[in-house]
Amino acid sequence: MTHHSTHPTPPDHQHPHSEKAAGHPNEHPGGHPGSDLNKHPHGKGGPPTAIDDEGTPACRLIAWEVTRSCNLACRHCRAEAHMEPYPGELSTEECKALIDTFPQVGDPIIIFTGGEPLLRHDIFELVSYANDKGLRCVMAPNGTLITAENARQIKEAGIQRCSISIDGPNAASHDPFRGGEGAFDAALRGIQHLKDAGLEFQINTTVTRNNMHNFKEIFHLAEDLGAAAWHIFLLVPTGRAASIREEVIGAEEYEQVLNWFYDFRKTTNMHLKATCAPHYYRIMRQRAAEEGVPVSRENFGMDAMTRGCLGGTGFCFISHTGQVQPCGYLDLDCGQVKQTPFPEIWKNSKPFKQFRNPADYEGKCGPCEFHRVCGGCRARAQTMRGNYMAEEPLCSYTPRKLRAKAE
């Protein structure tokens, strides 16, 4: 399982066509990777809420890999996870001490992810502890280990939403990608247990060449299951996914998928979100301008209030050993919580400061007029260009300034 392909969007993420937000007051979620970013909005691509006089942005979403162990071996797993325990995992007390620091960086939503978070023996103790601190908690299990009993425990501990990854409309298409026969049926059983427990869930789908043609079927499955949201995730070729680069769509296909997604979202009241797809926020504005539609929360929900890549600006990832990263796909050591308090890492990490400064972006990303609402995928820049500050490799757009120079 990958953390991005499992980020749940907490409740209260209003879709532009719905009359009211579903669920509880609250939402990356998984914007980023999917969230309601409701408490600390960017505005229309504007700066995020600062937490100090130096302008450090509030952290609004933390994906926390509480364990890297997993019972599946997904073909695209950025962690290349396996079932056996991993050394160096944070202890219960270290985890609680880390949770104590989260409110110091804002009011972040905490995604308990993995690996498979249900394999961690103290998972409900940690969720309850975070929930008691007033933190909004969501979980990203793969669904196959959910039972009637632990579904009730998930809800009682304080989880507001779970995300379950479905990458095909049936077992024949889903199971091979997830690396285990029976994964599809087990995930559906897990979803039913969540529903029986009264727990909200969303469906996440990783986009590959092999499943693009099944998108409508996957969406209708999510709809039939009663999902609160459907999030598509554009594949980042790292971890096991590096060996399936042939399934990564190209720049032109990327544009086509995101334009299709823009149009498709108009046909449903379900909340839809494109994640690990920062140029969607450019495309959304381009298409809205063509249609004469204001990019407002009323018309586009929280998509109008956030940006594409939130790594280091509103989001971060914490590994099972306590390494802080911009996201799970970008294995960049921005600090170790066992050595440096998390709030100091969030504030002072050199890569995070680079991500917050448009002048540090190379190639066409820096001068792009859509920089503040896109930012390009830093993980793809690293894995495909060897430089996390390079321009987004899968963007076909030429910024206005560069077009003017060429003329």
Side-chain angles (χ1 to χ4, degrees), residues 1-8 28 30 32-33 62-65 76-79 111 113-115 140 163 165 204 233 276 315-317 325-330:
M1 172 194 311
T2 78
H3 91 281
H4 272 96
S5 66
T6 52
H7 278 187
H28 189 357
H32 177 105
I62 297 171
W64 185 12
E65 180 191 61
H76 65 311
C77 181
R78 51 97 198 152
I111 303 170
T113 186
S163 64
S165 291
N204 295 345
F233 287 72
C276 297
F315 167 83
C316 72
F317 173 87
Q325 304 172 194
C327 74
Y329 288 127
L330 181 49

PDB file of all heavy atoms in Angstrom, residues 1-8 28 30 32-33 62-65 76-79 111 113-115 140 163 165 204 233 276 315-317 325-330:
ATOM      1  N   MET A   1       0.844  -1.183   0.000  1.00  0.00           N
ATOM      2  CA  MET A   1       0.000   0.000   0.000  1.00  0.00           C
ATOM      3  C   MET A   1       0.879   1.233   0.000  1.00  0.00           C
ATOM      4  O   MET A   1       1.923   1.260   0.604  1.00  0.00           O
ATOM      5  CB  MET A   1      -0.862   0.002   1.266  1.00  0.00           C
ATOM      6  CG  MET A   1      -1.630   1.275   1.458  1.00  0.00           C
ATOM      7  SD  MET A   1      -2.289   1.389   3.112  1.00  0.00           S
ATOM      8  CE  MET A   1      -3.036  -0.184   3.268  1.00  0.00           C
ATOM      9  N   THR A   2       0.460   2.287  -0.637  1.00  0.00           N
ATOM     10  CA  THR A   2       1.198   3.535  -0.584  1.00  0.00           C
ATOM     11  C   THR A   2       0.421   4.524   0.245  1.00  0.00           C
ATOM     12  O   THR A   2      -0.799   4.503   0.273  1.00  0.00           O
ATOM     13  CB  THR A   2       1.407   4.145  -1.982  1.00  0.00           C
ATOM     14  OG1 THR A   2       0.196   4.767  -2.366  1.00  0.00           O
ATOM     15  CG2 THR A   2       1.816   3.118  -2.973  1.00  0.00           C
ATOM     16  N   HIS A   3       1.122   5.426   0.882  1.00  0.00           N
ATOM     17  CA  HIS A   3       0.391   6.362   1.721  1.00  0.00           C
ATOM     18  C   HIS A   3      -0.463   7.283   0.885  1.00  0.00           C
ATOM     19  O   HIS A   3      -1.554   7.651   1.277  1.00  0.00           O
ATOM     20  CB  HIS A   3       1.346   7.148   2.617  1.00  0.00           C
ATOM     21  CG  HIS A   3       1.835   8.412   2.034  1.00  0.00           C
ATOM     22  ND1 HIS A   3       2.835   8.460   1.121  1.00  0.00           N
ATOM     23  CD2 HIS A   3       1.420   9.700   2.207  1.00  0.00           C
ATOM     24  CE1 HIS A   3       3.051   9.721   0.776  1.00  0.00           C
ATOM     25  NE2 HIS A   3       2.208  10.481   1.406  1.00  0.00           N
ATOM     26  N   HIS A   4      -0.008   7.677  -0.317  1.00  0.00           N
ATOM     27  CA  HIS A   4      -0.813   8.593  -1.106  1.00  0.00           C
ATOM     28  C   HIS A   4      -2.043   7.917  -1.662  1.00  0.00           C
ATOM     29  O   HIS A   4      -3.076   8.543  -1.808  1.00  0.00           O
ATOM     30  CB  HIS A   4      -0.003   9.154  -2.274  1.00  0.00           C
ATOM     31  CG  HIS A   4       0.746  10.385  -1.912  1.00  0.00           C
ATOM     32  ND1 HIS A   4       2.033  10.379  -1.529  1.00  0.00           N
ATOM     33  CD2 HIS A   4       0.348  11.660  -1.849  1.00  0.00           C
ATOM     34  CE1 HIS A   4       2.425  11.603  -1.268  1.00  0.00           C
ATOM     35  NE2 HIS A   4       1.415  12.403  -1.447  1.00  0.00           N
ATOM     36  N   SER A   5      -1.905   6.684  -2.028  1.00  0.00           N
ATOM     37  CA  SER A   5      -3.075   6.042  -2.606  1.00  0.00           C
ATOM     38  C   SER A   5      -4.053   5.632  -1.538  1.00  0.00           C
ATOM     39  O   SER A   5      -5.027   4.975  -1.806  1.00  0.00           O
ATOM     40  CB  SER A   5      -2.655   4.826  -3.433  1.00  0.00           C
ATOM     41  OG  SER A   5      -2.118   3.830  -2.617  1.00  0.00           O
ATOM     42  N   THR A   6      -3.809   6.057  -0.315  1.00  0.00           N
ATOM     43  CA  THR A   6      -4.741   5.694   0.748  1.00  0.00           C
ATOM     44  C   THR A   6      -5.120   6.875   1.617  1.00  0.00           C
ATOM     45  O   THR A   6      -5.654   6.700   2.693  1.00  0.00           O
ATOM     46  CB  THR A   6      -4.131   4.602   1.626  1.00  0.00           C
ATOM     47  OG1 THR A   6      -2.837   5.009   2.042  1.00  0.00           O
ATOM     48  CG2 THR A   6      -4.001   3.303   0.878  1.00  0.00           C
ATOM     49  N   HIS A   7      -4.862   8.079   1.201  1.00  0.00           N
ATOM     50  CA  HIS A   7      -5.203   9.214   2.038  1.00  0.00           C
ATOM     51  C   HIS A   7      -6.689   9.478   2.043  1.00  0.00           C
ATOM     52  O   HIS A   7      -7.271   9.776   1.028  1.00  0.00           O
ATOM     53  CB  HIS A   7      -4.527  10.479   1.517  1.00  0.00           C
ATOM     54  CG  HIS A   7      -3.128  10.589   1.971  1.00  0.00           C
ATOM     55  ND1 HIS A   7      -2.371  11.694   1.751  1.00  0.00           N
ATOM     56  CD2 HIS A   7      -2.341   9.743   2.650  1.00  0.00           C
ATOM     57  CE1 HIS A   7      -1.175  11.517   2.262  1.00  0.00           C
ATOM     58  NE2 HIS A   7      -1.144  10.346   2.806  1.00  0.00           N
ATOM     59  N   PRO A   8      -7.299   9.421   3.215  1.00  0.00           N
ATOM     60  CA  PRO A   8      -8.717   9.748   3.270  1.00  0.00           C
ATOM     61  C   PRO A   8      -8.941  11.242   3.418  1.00  0.00           C
ATOM     62  O   PRO A   8      -8.143  11.939   4.022  1.00  0.00           O
ATOM     63  CB  PRO A   8      -9.190   9.024   4.527  1.00  0.00           C
ATOM     64  CG  PRO A   8      -7.978   8.953   5.393  1.00  0.00           C
ATOM     65  CD  PRO A   8      -6.773   8.955   4.484  1.00  0.00           C
ATOM     66  N   HIS A  28      -6.688  16.937   3.376  1.00  0.00           N
ATOM     67  CA  HIS A  28      -5.940  16.657   2.287  1.00  0.00           C
ATOM     68  C   HIS A  28      -6.415  16.119   1.648  1.00  0.00           C
ATOM     69  O   HIS A  28      -6.165  15.975   2.442  1.00  0.00           O
ATOM     70  CB  HIS A  28      -4.887  16.081   2.328  1.00  0.00           C
ATOM     71  CG  HIS A  28      -4.025  15.835   1.633  1.00  0.00           C
ATOM     72  ND1 HIS A  28      -3.885  16.044   0.554  1.00  0.00           N
ATOM     73  CD2 HIS A  28      -3.077  15.573   1.665  1.00  0.00           C
ATOM     74  CE1 HIS A  28      -3.149  15.626   0.130  1.00  0.00           C
ATOM     75  NE2 HIS A  28      -2.628  15.514   0.613  1.00  0.00           N
ATOM     76  N   GLY A  30      -8.008  13.216   1.765  1.00  0.00           N
ATOM     77  CA  GLY A  30      -6.591  12.877   1.645  1.00  0.00           C
ATOM     78  C   GLY A  30      -6.167  13.875   0.908  1.00  0.00           C
ATOM     79  O   GLY A  30      -5.977  13.883   0.033  1.00  0.00           O
ATOM     80  N   HIS A  32      -4.403  16.265  -0.124  1.00  0.00           N
ATOM     81  CA  HIS A  32      -3.224  16.143  -0.952  1.00  0.00           C
ATOM     82  C   HIS A  32      -3.229  15.019  -1.809  1.00  0.00           C
ATOM     83  O   HIS A  32      -3.379  14.464  -2.127  1.00  0.00           O
ATOM     84  CB  HIS A  32      -2.077  16.096  -0.079  1.00  0.00           C
ATOM     85  CG  HIS A  32      -0.772  15.902  -0.636  1.00  0.00           C
ATOM     86  ND1 HIS A  32       0.166  16.879  -0.778  1.00  0.00           N
ATOM     87  CD2 HIS A  32      -0.177  14.824  -1.090  1.00  0.00           C
ATOM     88  CE1 HIS A  32       1.232  16.389  -1.234  1.00  0.00           C
ATOM     89  NE2 HIS A  32       1.060  15.152  -1.438  1.00  0.00           N
ATOM     90  N   PRO A  33      -2.903  15.154  -0.841  1.00  0.00           N
ATOM     91  CA  PRO A  33      -3.108  14.207  -1.088  1.00  0.00           C
ATOM     92  C   PRO A  33      -3.932  14.057  -0.680  1.00  0.00           C
ATOM     93  O   PRO A  33      -3.960  13.951  -0.598  1.00  0.00           O
ATOM     94  CB  PRO A  33      -2.111  13.786  -0.543  1.00  0.00           C
ATOM     95  CG  PRO A  33      -0.975  14.479  -0.316  1.00  0.00           C
ATOM     96  CD  PRO A  33      -1.621  15.303  -0.240  1.00  0.00           C
ATOM     97  N   ILE A  62      -0.914  15.784   8.175  1.00  0.00           N
ATOM     98  CA  ILE A  62       0.273  14.963   8.417  1.00  0.00           C
ATOM     99  C   ILE A  62      -0.078  13.514   8.098  1.00  0.00           C
ATOM    100  O   ILE A  62      -0.998  12.942   8.688  1.00  0.00           O
ATOM    101  CB  ILE A  62       0.734  15.059   9.882  1.00  0.00           C
ATOM    102  CG1 ILE A  62       1.146  16.498  10.230  1.00  0.00           C
ATOM    103  CG2 ILE A  62       1.903  14.097  10.143  1.00  0.00           C
ATOM    104  CD1 ILE A  62       1.411  16.725  11.713  1.00  0.00           C
ATOM    105  N   ALA A  63       0.633  12.936   7.142  1.00  0.00           N
ATOM    106  CA  ALA A  63       0.497  11.506   6.857  1.00  0.00           C
ATOM    107  C   ALA A  63       1.547  10.792   7.696  1.00  0.00           C
ATOM    108  O   ALA A  63       2.747  10.973   7.481  1.00  0.00           O
ATOM    109  CB  ALA A  63       0.704  11.233   5.371  1.00  0.00           C
ATOM    110  N   TRP A  64       1.105  10.001   8.633  1.00  0.00           N
ATOM    111  CA  TRP A  64       2.005   9.369   9.592  1.00  0.00           C
ATOM    112  C   TRP A  64       2.011   7.864   9.374  1.00  0.00           C
ATOM    113  O   TRP A  64       1.035   7.186   9.632  1.00  0.00           O
ATOM    114  CB  TRP A  64       1.556   9.717  11.008  1.00  0.00           C
ATOM    115  CG  TRP A  64       2.463   9.216  12.094  1.00  0.00           C
ATOM    116  CD1 TRP A  64       3.721   8.706  11.968  1.00  0.00           C
ATOM    117  CD2 TRP A  64       2.156   9.202  13.492  1.00  0.00           C
ATOM    118  NE1 TRP A  64       4.224   8.368  13.196  1.00  0.00           N
ATOM    119  CE2 TRP A  64       3.286   8.666  14.146  1.00  0.00           C
ATOM    120  CE3 TRP A  64       1.048   9.586  14.239  1.00  0.00           C
ATOM    121  CZ2 TRP A  64       3.326   8.502  15.534  1.00  0.00           C
ATOM    122  CZ3 TRP A  64       1.085   9.417  15.615  1.00  0.00           C
ATOM    123  CH2 TRP A  64       2.215   8.890  16.253  1.00  0.00           C
ATOM    124  N   GLU A  65       3.148   7.383   8.902  1.00  0.00           N
ATOM    125  CA  GLU A  65       3.350   5.953   8.670  1.00  0.00           C
ATOM    126  C   GLU A  65       3.656   5.298  10.020  1.00  0.00           C
ATOM    127  O   GLU A  65       4.813   5.137  10.398  1.00  0.00           O
ATOM    128  CB  GLU A  65       4.516   5.769   7.692  1.00  0.00           C
ATOM    129  CG  GLU A  65       4.846   4.329   7.355  1.00  0.00           C
ATOM    130  CD  GLU A  65       6.164   4.231   6.595  1.00  0.00           C
ATOM    131  OE1 GLU A  65       7.209   4.637   7.152  1.00  0.00           O
ATOM    132  OE2 GLU A  65       6.146   3.756   5.453  1.00  0.00           O
ATOM    133  N   HIS A  76       2.715  -0.877  -6.846  1.00  0.00           N
ATOM    134  CA  HIS A  76       3.142   0.525  -6.889  1.00  0.00           C
ATOM    135  C   HIS A  76       3.600   1.037  -5.528  1.00  0.00           C
ATOM    136  O   HIS A  76       3.781   2.233  -5.352  1.00  0.00           O
ATOM    137  CB  HIS A  76       1.998   1.394  -7.394  1.00  0.00           C
ATOM    138  CG  HIS A  76       0.813   1.423  -6.466  1.00  0.00           C
ATOM    139  ND1 HIS A  76       0.250   0.288  -5.954  1.00  0.00           N
ATOM    140  CD2 HIS A  76       0.103   2.452  -5.949  1.00  0.00           C
ATOM    141  CE1 HIS A  76      -0.765   0.616  -5.182  1.00  0.00           C
ATOM    142  NE2 HIS A  76      -0.872   1.919  -5.151  1.00  0.00           N
ATOM    143  N   CYS A  77       3.787   0.148  -4.542  1.00  0.00           N
ATOM    144  CA  CYS A  77       4.073   0.583  -3.174  1.00  0.00           C
ATOM    145  C   CYS A  77       5.373   1.369  -3.085  1.00  0.00           C
ATOM    146  O   CYS A  77       6.453   0.851  -3.387  1.00  0.00           O
ATOM    147  CB  CYS A  77       4.140  -0.632  -2.245  1.00  0.00           C
ATOM    148  SG  CYS A  77       4.456  -0.193  -0.524  1.00  0.00           S
ATOM    149  N   ARG A  78       5.280   2.621  -2.631  1.00  0.00           N
ATOM    150  CA  ARG A  78       6.479   3.460  -2.516  1.00  0.00           C
ATOM    151  C   ARG A  78       7.381   2.933  -1.412  1.00  0.00           C
ATOM    152  O   ARG A  78       8.588   3.171  -1.424  1.00  0.00           O
ATOM    153  CB  ARG A  78       6.105   4.911  -2.261  1.00  0.00           C
ATOM    154  CG  ARG A  78       5.138   5.139  -1.110  1.00  0.00           C
ATOM    155  CD  ARG A  78       5.819   5.518   0.168  1.00  0.00           C
ATOM    156  NE  ARG A  78       4.895   5.291   1.285  1.00  0.00           N
ATOM    157  CZ  ARG A  78       5.304   5.017   2.506  1.00  0.00           C
ATOM    158  NH1 ARG A  78       6.593   4.904   2.773  1.00  0.00           N
ATOM    159  NH2 ARG A  78       4.433   4.816   3.466  1.00  0.00           N
ATOM    160  N   ALA A  79       6.817   2.196  -0.424  1.00  0.00           N
ATOM    161  CA  ALA A  79       7.604   1.700   0.703  1.00  0.00           C
ATOM    162  C   ALA A  79       8.153   0.302   0.462  1.00  0.00           C
ATOM    163  O   ALA A  79       8.953  -0.187   1.257  1.00  0.00           O
ATOM    164  CB  ALA A  79       6.749   1.693   1.966  1.00  0.00           C
ATOM    165  N   ILE A 111      -3.340  11.599   9.399  1.00  0.00           N
ATOM    166  CA  ILE A 111      -3.663  10.384   8.658  1.00  0.00           C
ATOM    167  C   ILE A 111      -2.823   9.250   9.241  1.00  0.00           C
ATOM    168  O   ILE A 111      -1.594   9.239   9.113  1.00  0.00           O
ATOM    169  CB  ILE A 111      -3.338  10.518   7.161  1.00  0.00           C
ATOM    170  CG1 ILE A 111      -4.055  11.704   6.545  1.00  0.00           C
ATOM    171  CG2 ILE A 111      -3.715   9.226   6.423  1.00  0.00           C
ATOM    172  CD1 ILE A 111      -3.564  12.021   5.131  1.00  0.00           C
ATOM    173  N   THR A 113      -1.459   5.986   8.683  1.00  0.00           N
ATOM    174  CA  THR A 113      -1.272   5.199   7.476  1.00  0.00           C
ATOM    175  C   THR A 113      -0.130   4.218   7.660  1.00  0.00           C
ATOM    176  O   THR A 113       0.390   4.037   8.746  1.00  0.00           O
ATOM    177  CB  THR A 113      -1.063   6.136   6.262  1.00  0.00           C
ATOM    178  OG1 THR A 113      -1.011   5.369   5.062  1.00  0.00           O
ATOM    179  CG2 THR A 113       0.207   6.968   6.388  1.00  0.00           C
ATOM    180  N   GLY A 114       0.267   3.561   6.589  1.00  0.00           N
ATOM    181  CA  GLY A 114       1.335   2.577   6.650  1.00  0.00           C
ATOM    182  C   GLY A 114       1.999   2.426   5.296  1.00  0.00           C
ATOM    183  O   GLY A 114       2.010   3.391   4.527  1.00  0.00           O
ATOM    184  N   GLY A 115       2.477   1.219   4.921  1.00  0.00           N
ATOM    185  CA  GLY A 115       2.101  -0.041   5.510  1.00  0.00           C
ATOM    186  C   GLY A 115       0.604  -0.168   5.753  1.00  0.00           C
ATOM    187  O   GLY A 115      -0.211   0.483   5.157  1.00  0.00           O
ATOM    188  N   ALA A 140      -5.918   5.114   6.897  1.00  0.00           N
ATOM    189  CA  ALA A 140      -5.751   4.587   5.550  1.00  0.00           C
ATOM    190  C   ALA A 140      -5.389   3.107   5.585  1.00  0.00           C
ATOM    191  O   ALA A 140      -4.270   2.721   5.255  1.00  0.00           O
ATOM    192  CB  ALA A 140      -4.662   5.375   4.821  1.00  0.00           C
ATOM    193  N   SER A 163     -10.002   5.523   4.217  1.00  0.00           N
ATOM    194  CA  SER A 163      -9.897   5.433   2.761  1.00  0.00           C
ATOM    195  C   SER A 163      -9.497   4.011   2.407  1.00  0.00           C
ATOM    196  O   SER A 163      -8.662   3.403   3.074  1.00  0.00           O
ATOM    197  CB  SER A 163      -8.858   6.411   2.228  1.00  0.00           C
ATOM    198  OG  SER A 163      -7.573   6.092   2.711  1.00  0.00           O
ATOM    199  N   SER A 165      -8.354   1.683  -0.994  1.00  0.00           N
ATOM    200  CA  SER A 165      -7.920   1.771  -2.389  1.00  0.00           C
ATOM    201  C   SER A 165      -8.552   0.663  -3.220  1.00  0.00           C
ATOM    202  O   SER A 165      -8.450  -0.517  -2.877  1.00  0.00           O
ATOM    203  CB  SER A 165      -6.396   1.676  -2.483  1.00  0.00           C
ATOM    204  OG  SER A 165      -5.804   2.830  -1.929  1.00  0.00           O
ATOM    205  N   ASN A 204     -10.104   5.356  -3.133  1.00  0.00           N
ATOM    206  CA  ASN A 204      -8.968   5.944  -3.835  1.00  0.00           C
ATOM    207  C   ASN A 204      -8.533   5.018  -4.961  1.00  0.00           C
ATOM    208  O   ASN A 204      -8.514   3.798  -4.789  1.00  0.00           O
ATOM    209  CB  ASN A 204      -7.784   6.154  -2.878  1.00  0.00           C
ATOM    210  CG  ASN A 204      -8.080   7.170  -1.803  1.00  0.00           C
ATOM    211  OD1 ASN A 204      -9.042   7.926  -1.894  1.00  0.00           O
ATOM    212  ND2 ASN A 204      -7.247   7.206  -0.776  1.00  0.00           N
ATOM    213  N   PHE A 233      -5.372   9.110  -7.930  1.00  0.00           N
ATOM    214  CA  PHE A 233      -3.977   9.413  -7.616  1.00  0.00           C
ATOM    215  C   PHE A 233      -3.118   9.117  -8.833  1.00  0.00           C
ATOM    216  O   PHE A 233      -3.151   8.000  -9.360  1.00  0.00           O
ATOM    217  CB  PHE A 233      -3.496   8.560  -6.428  1.00  0.00           C
ATOM    218  CG  PHE A 233      -4.059   8.990  -5.114  1.00  0.00           C
ATOM    219  CD1 PHE A 233      -5.392   8.763  -4.802  1.00  0.00           C
ATOM    220  CD2 PHE A 233      -3.265   9.626  -4.184  1.00  0.00           C
ATOM    221  CE1 PHE A 233      -5.929   9.161  -3.596  1.00  0.00           C
ATOM    222  CE2 PHE A 233      -3.791  10.027  -2.959  1.00  0.00           C
ATOM    223  CZ  PHE A 233      -5.122   9.799  -2.665  1.00  0.00           C
ATOM    224  N   CYS A 276      -1.854  14.015  -6.143  1.00  0.00           N
ATOM    225  CA  CYS A 276      -0.564  13.821  -6.821  1.00  0.00           C
ATOM    226  C   CYS A 276      -0.708  14.254  -8.274  1.00  0.00           C
ATOM    227  O   CYS A 276      -0.080  13.694  -9.178  1.00  0.00           O
ATOM    228  CB  CYS A 276      -0.094  12.373  -6.730  1.00  0.00           C
ATOM    229  SG  CYS A 276       0.223  11.828  -5.052  1.00  0.00           S
ATOM    230  N   PHE A 315       1.582  20.282   4.202  1.00  0.00           N
ATOM    231  CA  PHE A 315       1.529  18.831   4.383  1.00  0.00           C
ATOM    232  C   PHE A 315       2.926  18.286   4.588  1.00  0.00           C
ATOM    233  O   PHE A 315       3.910  18.835   4.069  1.00  0.00           O
ATOM    234  CB  PHE A 315       0.910  18.195   3.128  1.00  0.00           C
ATOM    235  CG  PHE A 315       1.066  16.695   3.051  1.00  0.00           C
ATOM    236  CD1 PHE A 315       0.186  15.861   3.711  1.00  0.00           C
ATOM    237  CD2 PHE A 315       2.089  16.120   2.307  1.00  0.00           C
ATOM    238  CE1 PHE A 315       0.320  14.476   3.629  1.00  0.00           C
ATOM    239  CE2 PHE A 315       2.240  14.736   2.230  1.00  0.00           C
ATOM    240  CZ  PHE A 315       1.352  13.917   2.887  1.00  0.00           C
ATOM    241  N   CYS A 316       3.034  17.190   5.345  1.00  0.00           N
ATOM    242  CA  CYS A 316       4.291  16.450   5.403  1.00  0.00           C
ATOM    243  C   CYS A 316       3.995  14.993   5.746  1.00  0.00           C
ATOM    244  O   CYS A 316       2.869  14.643   6.127  1.00  0.00           O
ATOM    245  CB  CYS A 316       5.285  17.060   6.385  1.00  0.00           C
ATOM    246  SG  CYS A 316       4.853  16.818   8.121  1.00  0.00           S
ATOM    247  N   PHE A 317       5.015  14.181   5.621  1.00  0.00           N
ATOM    248  CA  PHE A 317       4.942  12.747   5.882  1.00  0.00           C
ATOM    249  C   PHE A 317       5.952  12.422   6.974  1.00  0.00           C
ATOM    250  O   PHE A 317       7.068  12.962   6.978  1.00  0.00           O
ATOM    251  CB  PHE A 317       5.288  11.997   4.589  1.00  0.00           C
ATOM    252  CG  PHE A 317       5.422  10.508   4.732  1.00  0.00           C
ATOM    253  CD1 PHE A 317       4.312   9.679   4.633  1.00  0.00           C
ATOM    254  CD2 PHE A 317       6.671   9.923   4.936  1.00  0.00           C
ATOM    255  CE1 PHE A 317       4.437   8.297   4.741  1.00  0.00           C
ATOM    256  CE2 PHE A 317       6.802   8.545   5.042  1.00  0.00           C
ATOM    257  CZ  PHE A 317       5.693   7.729   4.949  1.00  0.00           C
ATOM    258  N   GLN A 325       9.449  13.929   5.935  1.00  0.00           N
ATOM    259  CA  GLN A 325       9.634  14.079   4.488  1.00  0.00           C
ATOM    260  C   GLN A 325       8.550  14.994   3.926  1.00  0.00           C
ATOM    261  O   GLN A 325       7.496  15.159   4.545  1.00  0.00           O
ATOM    262  CB  GLN A 325       9.541  12.710   3.798  1.00  0.00           C
ATOM    263  CG  GLN A 325      10.505  11.671   4.326  1.00  0.00           C
ATOM    264  CD  GLN A 325      10.261  10.276   3.755  1.00  0.00           C
ATOM    265  OE1 GLN A 325      10.778   9.288   4.277  1.00  0.00           O
ATOM    266  NE2 GLN A 325       9.463  10.170   2.687  1.00  0.00           N
ATOM    267  N   PRO A 326       8.776  15.566   2.732  1.00  0.00           N
ATOM    268  CA  PRO A 326       7.722  16.377   2.111  1.00  0.00           C
ATOM    269  C   PRO A 326       6.478  15.550   1.819  1.00  0.00           C
ATOM    270  O   PRO A 326       5.352  16.015   1.947  1.00  0.00           O
ATOM    271  CB  PRO A 326       8.367  16.885   0.817  1.00  0.00           C
ATOM    272  CG  PRO A 326       9.844  16.772   1.056  1.00  0.00           C
ATOM    273  CD  PRO A 326      10.014  15.573   1.929  1.00  0.00           C
ATOM    274  N   CYS A 327       6.689  14.306   1.398  1.00  0.00           N
ATOM    275  CA  CYS A 327       5.598  13.363   1.174  1.00  0.00           C
ATOM    276  C   CYS A 327       6.191  11.959   1.188  1.00  0.00           C
ATOM    277  O   CYS A 327       7.414  11.797   1.208  1.00  0.00           O
ATOM    278  CB  CYS A 327       4.865  13.640  -0.149  1.00  0.00           C
ATOM    279  SG  CYS A 327       5.773  13.155  -1.634  1.00  0.00           S
ATOM    280  N   GLY A 328       5.347  10.956   1.155  1.00  0.00           N
ATOM    281  CA  GLY A 328       5.844   9.585   1.210  1.00  0.00           C
ATOM    282  C   GLY A 328       6.573   9.169  -0.044  1.00  0.00           C
ATOM    283  O   GLY A 328       7.404   8.252  -0.005  1.00  0.00           O
ATOM    284  N   TYR A 329       6.276   9.834  -1.168  1.00  0.00           N
ATOM    285  CA  TYR A 329       6.919   9.477  -2.420  1.00  0.00           C
ATOM    286  C   TYR A 329       8.306  10.096  -2.563  1.00  0.00           C
ATOM    287  O   TYR A 329       9.080   9.696  -3.426  1.00  0.00           O
ATOM    288  CB  TYR A 329       6.061   9.927  -3.602  1.00  0.00           C
ATOM    289  CG  TYR A 329       4.809   9.120  -3.785  1.00  0.00           C
ATOM    290  CD1 TYR A 329       3.576   9.744  -3.869  1.00  0.00           C
ATOM    291  CD2 TYR A 329       4.848   7.733  -3.886  1.00  0.00           C
ATOM    292  CE1 TYR A 329       2.419   9.012  -4.046  1.00  0.00           C
ATOM    293  CE2 TYR A 329       3.703   6.994  -4.060  1.00  0.00           C
ATOM    294  CZ  TYR A 329       2.488   7.635  -4.147  1.00  0.00           C
ATOM    295  OH  TYR A 329       1.344   6.909  -4.322  1.00  0.00           O
ATOM    296  N   LEU A 330       8.595  11.111  -1.767  1.00  0.00           N
ATOM    297  CA  LEU A 330       9.890  11.789  -1.846  1.00  0.00           C
ATOM    298  C   LEU A 330      10.679  11.470  -0.580  1.00  0.00           C
ATOM    299  O   LEU A 330      10.512  12.098   0.465  1.00  0.00           O
ATOM    300  CB  LEU A 330       9.690  13.298  -2.003  1.00  0.00           C
ATOM    301  CG  LEU A 330      10.948  14.160  -2.133  1.00  0.00           C
ATOM    302  CD1 LEU A 330      11.908  13.600  -3.173  1.00  0.00           C
ATOM    303  CD2 LEU A 330      10.566  15.592  -2.470  1.00  0.00           C
TER     304      LEU A 330
END
